[in-house]
Amino acid sequence: MKKTEFFEKNEISLRFYAAKAIIEEAASLALSMRPSPGGPSATLKGRQDYVTEADRAVELMVYNRLSTLFPDDGFIGEERGEQAQGTYRWVLDPIDGTSNYARGRNRWCISLGLMKNDLPVAGIINAPALKEIFTAIRGEGAFLNGKPIYAAKTKNLDESMVEIGWSPFVPLEWWQEKTTAILNLGSMPRSLGSGALALADVACGRSDGYLEKVIYIWDVAAALVILEEADARISPFIKMGGIEKRTTILATAPNIASQLSKALGVELG
Ligand code: IPD
Ligand code: CA
């Protein structure tokens, strides 16, 4: 290994392990603040678009910790936007699946990605109510609670399961068209309210695909590395301008990738 590669690997590992510990603390904080089951306990940013006290508290805590440890790094967070720029950039969704969180459900997570320039190099998705932590460092594999994970080997569409993300930014006609396409393929549709966890499900083989018309970089930054390391196929989210604006994503299991890509009208990278 060249000297420069060795130093780069160390820079990424150092950041990853520090961040993993910080996100474990942040996950405990979020869990301790989770509302009890019931109607949504949150502020509406727009129709079906929630923010809770925990979103803000987790983002502030993670930002403060990371910027103290790595003052030259950039940071993008869902609630506070872009805070700083740098060669390394952290991308945080403090609570992904806020609509679930706000009703006391379990399907939500904290998602933290690390990019070097514009390349995602490490990712952590911590879902404390599910007791699941997905992780990856570029070139070193993807893991769920420390065990290696891989995208499903599904070949027969009649056995496949595909999730479609919904947000208020999705036009009704698009949703109807894509749901019909998935059903016509023989696939089973799902929509469970957390983009990051839906992508993690593709990475670990629980699902064969995830499609969302427009999704933000903080929802997908961690998952992009986890998916690649798990041998899933992904649309070229960053090349399509995904850092600057919300963009389409398709992630699929490898053996049915071309069929899903064609049927759903989204090219893969
Ligand atoms: C949302 C969730 C949802 C997805 C949206 C996201 P939030 O994030 O991931 O499943 O469809 O695109 O914005 O609001 O829960 O952080
Ligand atoms: Ca989110």
Side-chain angles (χ1 to χ4, degrees):
M1 187 187 288
K2 284 191 205 140
K3 216 167 157 188
T4 46
E5 271 174 45
F6 175 79
F7 283 120
E8 185 189 38
K9 217 166 145 43
N10 276 355
E11 280 175 352
I12 295 170
S13 296
L14 178 70
R15 282 172 171 77
F16 170 81
Y17 288 106
K20 190 163 173 282
I22 293 170
I23 295 302
E24 270 167 42
E25 258 188 76
S28 302
L29 173 67
L31 200 53
S32 73
M33 294 178 77
R34 180 174 54 157
S36 303
S41 181
T43 307
L44 268 185
K45 292 193 271 189
R47 174 181 165 242
Q48 298 289 348
D49 189 10
Y50 300 97
V51 61
T52 68
E53 285 306 312
D55 289 83
R56 297 196 182 101
V58 167
E59 185 156 324
L60 186 63
M61 187 259 209
V62 175
Y63 173 70
N64 285 342
R65 293 295 190 85
L66 289 175
S67 58
T68 305
L69 281 177
F70 306 106
D72 295 332
D73 290 0
F75 186 92
I76 305 173
E78 173 165 16
E79 304 309 327
R80 293 149 55 100
E82 180 138 11
Q83 298 289 300
Q85 296 197 349
T87 306
Y88 285 101
R89 230 175 341 168
W90 300 97
V91 187
L92 176 71
D93 192 337
I95 309 245
D96 185 61
T98 308
S99 58
N100 288 337
Y101 180 86
R103 304 198 65 149
R105 288 170 175 252
N106 288 339
R107 193 173 175 79
W108 53 274
C109 62
I110 300 179
S111 170
L112 180 68
L114 176 66
M115 296 195 298
K116 182 167 188 192
N117 299 315
D118 287 348
L119 180 71
V121 290
I124 300 163
I125 295 177
N126 186 321
L130 302 173
K131 297 190 171 48
E132 292 191 335
I133 305 178
F134 295 87
T135 54
I137 296 178
R138 181 167 290 277
E140 297 185 17
F143 300 86
L144 166 54
N145 292 345
K147 294 198 178 125
I149 52 171
Y150 302 96
K153 300 281 181 278
T154 313
K155 285 194 179 124
N156 180 358
L157 284 162
D158 285 348
E159 295 174 354
S160 67
M161 180 186 285
V162 175
E163 185 166 348
I164 316 183
W166 185 86
S167 80
F169 312 116
V170 174
L172 178 65
E173 302 68 39
W174 183 93
W175 176 266
Q176 287 170 333
E177 184 196 313
K178 301 305 176 189
T179 308
T180 305
I182 284 171
L183 288 167
N184 283 341
L185 283 173
S187 195
M188 188 188 285
R190 287 281 188 281
S191 193
L192 301 172
S194 162
L197 286 176
L199 292 167
D201 270 356
V202 176
C204 74
R206 280 180 189 148
S207 151
D208 301 299
Y210 184 66
L211 170 69
E212 182 151 354
K213 180 169 173 50
V214 279
I215 190 161
Y216 287 105
I217 184 68
W218 43 78
D219 297 308
V220 307
L224 289 175
V225 197
I226 296 171
L227 284 159
E228 256 189 76
E229 291 298 317
D231 298 335
R233 298 282 310 278
I234 325 166
S235 54
F237 185 83
I238 305 264
K239 271 199 204 141
M240 286 165 68
I243 297 178
E244 295 79 29
K245 59 177 195 322
R246 50 181 194 241
T247 298
T248 299
I249 195 157
L250 174 64
T252 91
N255 295 334
I256 54 169
S258 54
Q259 286 152 291
L260 281 185
S261 159
K262 198 168 158 213
L264 298 172
V266 182
E267 279 184 26
L268 295 167

